[in-house]
Amino acid sequence: MPEVKSVFREVLPKQGQLSVEDVPVLVLCKPKLLPLKSVTLEKLEKMQREAQELVRQQEAAGAGQHENAQ
Amino acid sequence: MEVTLSMDPLFLAWSYFRRRKYQKCSDLCTKVLEENPYDQELQTSLHISEAAWSLKTRALTEMVYIDEVDVDQEGIAEIMLDESAIAQVARPGTSLRLPGTSQGGGGPTPAVRPMTQSGRPITGFVRPSTQSGRPGTMEQAIRTPRTANTARPVTSASGRFVRLGTASMLTHPDGPFINLSRLNLAKYAQKPNLSKTLFEYIFHHENDVKNALDLAALATEHAQFKDWWWKVQLGKCYYRLGLYREAEKQFRSALNHQEFVDTYLYLAKVYQRMDQPITALSLFKQGLDHFPGEVTLLTGIARIHEEMNNITSATEYYKDVLKQDNTHVEAIACIGSNHFYTDQPEIALRFYRRLLQMGVYNCQLYNNLGLCCFYAQQYDMTLSSFERALALVSSDEEQADIWYNIGHVAVGIGDLTLAYQCFKLALAFNNDHAEAYNNLAVLELRKGHIEQAKAFLQTAASLAPHMYEPHFNFAVLSDKVGDLQSSYMAAQKSEDAFPEHVDSQQLLKTLRQHFAVL
């Protein structure tokens, strides 16, 4: 079918920007999905936080007593 | 007249225990024990005090109990002074130590998916054992505690376990409940109904693995080496002490007595620690023959594939997990993050929405939702998700990561001032955020501040030598200003971090041509 062939014609630009030179560009680091935490990890972190809190309290109490004794 | 009706204290304590009110249970048991001292000769009172004593050990154990299957933390000493390593350079695909060698799985490259310190793509889920992976060199291992979010202990014996042990001691100002050094272990090993609770108390609460091992050895002897439970406990003790071959023997022997999912998991953990992922995989398959469709075994297989950088088959196994248990958070999170990094944020969004429907409510999830919404072009939800994430943060590192991601949204909409501020905020919350340094450098260079950009890139490269971006950017920048020698060195580092990176290769090629002409 020669008629159909003539409907579309290829377009080749002859002026304007004809090619793009590949220059190295700087790259950004990629967005970071945060991993979810497992139940065990959350419990471990909670226990650690509580323990630290307790140590701080006990140290504060100890320091207070020390001052009173002096 | 006042009538006080009260329950039998021991029964009440038992009820507290079942309702998970461990502190109350323990207090009540202490009272019962004070009223019935252990050394009385009366038979009934002896029974009561024994029961109260055993219940108290159980309550104290439950307070600090963590699933032993999940717990795994390698110290620097274990990694660097590894005696079980057979070959210095393992064949590709047979070791967890060379994650890059099995790249054939078609996983995403570092160009689209960020890497962790150990050169693995970041995962969608963290467990205690996946926190920072294996560093390749001593230098990296020592550096890790400064840059990673969680510090790596010098050895696992000085790690979290000990800290937890001392923490449990601190809660009792008048000393520990049981004085282990004065305990006659042989006597308790004779009593099966007391010895098991006592063992768990020593192992989990006191973290005294050597005494626990002694007790387990005596008890298994008393049970004439026929009780699988004691063998598993012996194996756990050996594992903690780093005697992996002995642990393997105990677990194997326990499996001969009784097929049990937990035992398979412990044994696989031993193989993973000995860096034999293939053996672990075949063990999991063996376990699946006995327990078809068991979720924990399937998850184990998926995790190994993921650690070997074979993301495609890991995803297949995670899908199998979801067929058995469609509320499995780890599987959903891993498949979701995999979709995000293979350019399908819409599908990732559906997985994360599923997690939200299931009731997961934390800053990580909202951050991921925000990112997925943005890249799936659902702009109305993006910023509100990030706002929620910021409202839910619990640590500065998380806050830094969220600001870093908001910075990306700002870059995406072209608001470079906002992006600059976001990356600056990320650095304010976490001074070691190498990605933020790199991105700031790129923004600085757009403004024409070359020296500032160089300084940021150098900081990023020293904080995270495993990332290729800072090296490559530094190479490009030096090339532009004519410092070809530093450009060449940086490009080489970039190629080491990401061998398939075409731009680095081209830069190296042109530089080599330059040098050849000279």
Side-chain angles (χ1 to χ4, degrees):
Chain A
M1 285 180 277
E3 314 89 327
V4 180
K5 226 179 197 173
S6 63
V7 174
F8 298 105
R9 226 181 273 154
E10 59 181 357
V11 178
L12 285 174
K14 299 224 163 49
Q15 53 187 3
Q17 195 178 17
L18 298 182
S19 68
V20 182
E21 193 193 356
D22 185 24
V23 275
V25 283
L26 300 188
V27 282
L28 287 171
C29 284
K30 305 302 165 297
K32 213 156 98 180
L33 283 186
L34 297 183
L36 300 176
K37 285 179 183 168
S38 75
V39 177
T40 317
L41 189 60
E42 272 182 8
K43 187 168 176 185
L44 267 174
E45 286 184 354
K46 190 169 150 250
M47 286 201 299
Q48 245 172 355
R49 259 202 309 276
E50 281 171 2
Q52 274 173 353
E53 197 58 34
L54 208 71
V55 170
R56 213 166 294 144
Q57 275 175 14
Q58 286 188 355
E59 275 176 1
Q65 275 176 4
H66 207 67
E67 276 171 23
N68 286 346
Q70 280 177 349
Chain B
M1 194 181 131
E2 210 176 295
V3 182
T4 48
L5 281 175
S6 64
M7 251 191 269
D8 175 48
L10 193 59
F11 185 81
L12 188 61
W14 177 242
S15 164
Y16 278 138
F17 181 77
R18 274 185 307 160
R19 284 182 283 150
R20 307 181 138 260
K21 295 181 175 169
Y22 300 121
Q23 192 56 52
K24 281 186 176 174
C25 170
S26 151
D27 293 344
L28 206 57
C29 286
T30 316
K31 233 181 252 171
V32 175
L33 282 172
E34 274 165 9
E35 283 160 20
N36 304 289
Y38 204 0
D39 47 5
Q40 278 184 5
E41 291 301 310
L42 275 168
Q43 201 61 36
T44 46
S45 128
L46 182 68
H47 278 308
I48 288 175
S49 58
E50 265 187 9
W53 187 82
S54 177
L55 189 59
K56 188 173 173 186
T57 54
R58 282 183 69 188
L60 290 177
T61 309
E62 282 294 331
M63 274 192 248
V64 295
Y65 182 80
I66 32 172
D67 194 354
E68 184 66 12
V69 174
D70 248 5
V71 174
D72 201 0
Q73 197 172 34
E74 267 187 310
I76 295 173
E78 272 89 27
I79 297 164
M80 300 324 294
L81 312 172
D82 190 358
E83 288 172 348
S84 56
I86 301 168
Q88 278 294 316
V89 183
R91 275 173 295 141
T94 59
S95 170
L96 295 170
R97 247 160 262 191
L98 296 165
T101 48
S102 51
Q103 259 292 359
T109 60
V112 284
R113 189 168 184 157
M115 286 282 169
T116 60
Q117 193 98 20
S118 58
R120 291 197 179 84
I122 59 163
T123 165
F125 196 75
V126 275
R127 302 175 300 280
S129 54
T130 47
Q131 277 188 321
S132 39
R134 283 168 188 274
T137 62
M138 190 74 190
E139 188 194 2
Q140 229 175 320
I142 294 170
R143 197 200 300 272
T144 312
R146 272 204 310 120
T147 53
N149 290 350
T150 48
R152 179 184 288 279
V154 176
T155 75
S156 62
S158 68
R160 208 171 241 153
F161 298 128
V162 172
R163 275 179 269 155
L164 284 180
T166 44
S168 60
M169 296 268 275
L170 275 171
T171 53
H172 308 286
D174 31 275
F177 165 50
I178 299 172
N179 194 341
L180 287 183
S181 53
R182 279 162 50 189
L183 213 57
N184 183 0
L185 291 178
K187 192 182 104 192
Y188 286 94
Q190 312 278 325
K191 299 179 180 170
N193 45 358
L194 288 185
S195 55
K196 288 188 179 173
T197 54
L198 178 63
F199 173 83
E200 295 211 309
Y201 174 80
I202 301 176
F203 190 79
H204 290 289
H205 190 273
E206 295 292 314
N207 271 312
D208 188 341
V209 182
K210 286 185 196 98
N211 270 321
L213 180 66
D214 284 345
L215 178 64
L218 289 168
T220 188
E221 209 178 316
H222 182 252
Q224 287 155 2
F225 306 100
K226 276 181 189 147
D227 192 343
W228 65 270
W229 194 86
W230 282 114
K231 293 190 176 175
V232 172
Q233 308 312 316
L234 270 177
K236 272 158 72 174
C237 291
Y238 282 132
Y239 180 83
R240 279 263 186 111
L241 293 173
L243 303 167
Y244 302 122
R245 287 291 170 195
E246 280 81 357
E248 181 197 359
K249 232 181 275 167
Q250 295 297 333
F251 288 136
R252 285 264 174 216
S253 162
L255 275 180
N256 286 338
H257 284 285
Q258 176 88 32
E259 294 281 345
F260 215 70
V261 180
D262 269 8
T263 321
Y264 278 111
L265 295 176
Y266 287 130
L267 190 53
K269 222 174 100 173
V270 174
Y271 286 129
Q272 270 165 278
R273 181 54 77 83
M274 292 198 294
D275 197 21
Q276 300 184 2
I278 307 289
T279 321
L281 279 180
S282 66
L283 182 79
F284 277 130
K285 300 235 164 88
Q286 213 179 313
L288 279 175
D289 291 340
H290 294 279
F291 303 98
E294 171 61 39
V295 171
T296 47
L297 296 176
L298 284 172
T299 320
I301 297 181
R303 283 176 192 169
I304 293 181
H305 279 302
E306 192 174 38
E307 283 205 35
M308 306 235 302
N309 214 351
N310 198 345
I311 305 290
T312 326
S313 42
T315 311
E316 285 304 311
Y317 277 102
Y318 277 128
K319 280 183 183 158
D320 280 348
V321 170
L322 284 188
K323 276 176 201 151
Q324 306 292 336
D325 173 8
N326 58 12
T327 58
H328 200 271
V329 177
E330 177 175 355
I332 297 177
C334 285
I335 296 178
S337 68
N338 191 33
H339 277 301
F340 182 81
Y341 285 118
T342 47
D343 221 9
Q344 295 167 313
E346 302 85 0
I347 302 175
L349 184 58
R350 290 176 59 169
F351 278 94
Y352 284 118
R353 259 179 53 199
R354 164 86 184 150
L355 284 177
L356 197 64
Q357 283 169 354
M358 277 164 44
V360 179
Y361 185 75
N362 53 28
C363 71
Q364 285 93 359
L365 182 60
Y366 274 108
N367 168 69
N368 297 354
L369 276 171
L371 274 183
C372 288
C373 282
F374 181 70
Y375 287 99
Q377 301 177 16
Q378 308 217 357
Y379 302 121
D380 49 341
M381 282 290 292
T382 307
L383 287 180
S384 55
S385 294
F386 278 120
E387 272 170 6
R388 288 221 181 178
L390 283 174
L392 287 171
V393 286
S394 59
S395 73
D396 280 354
E397 283 84 9
E398 287 169 359
Q399 192 139 354
D401 279 334
I402 294 168
W403 279 116
Y404 168 74
N405 286 328
I406 300 178
H408 270 284
V409 173
V411 169
I413 57 175
D415 190 345
L416 294 185
T417 324
L418 177 63
Y420 190 84
Q421 283 168 340
C422 288
F423 293 134
K424 277 274 182 197
L425 270 173
L427 286 179
F429 285 110
N430 180 5
N431 205 13
D432 287 334
H433 207 290
E435 291 98 336
Y437 273 118
N438 176 62
N439 291 2
L440 262 186
V442 177
L443 294 182
E444 286 286 1
L445 197 67
R446 281 184 66 98
K447 291 184 184 170
H449 303 160
I450 293 181
E451 285 309 312
Q452 187 69 26
K454 253 190 180 172
F456 279 144
L457 285 176
Q458 272 166 337
T459 320
S462 69
L463 282 173
H466 62 282
M467 294 193 320
Y468 81 97
E469 289 97 341
H471 297 308
F472 175 71
N473 289 344
F474 193 75
V476 173
L477 184 55
S478 310
D479 187 43
K480 267 186 193 159
V481 296
D483 185 357
L484 298 188
Q485 185 59 37
S486 351
S487 171
Y488 183 72
M489 299 216 306
Q492 267 183 332
K493 280 185 199 153
S494 161
E495 201 189 22
D496 285 345
F498 181 17
E500 297 92 25
H501 192 225
V502 180
D503 284 350
S504 298
Q505 289 168 356
Q506 271 179 348
L507 187 61
L508 273 177
K509 214 173 113 189
T510 46
L511 283 172
R512 284 204 187 102
Q513 277 171 354
H514 274 303
F515 292 144
V517 169
L518 292 175

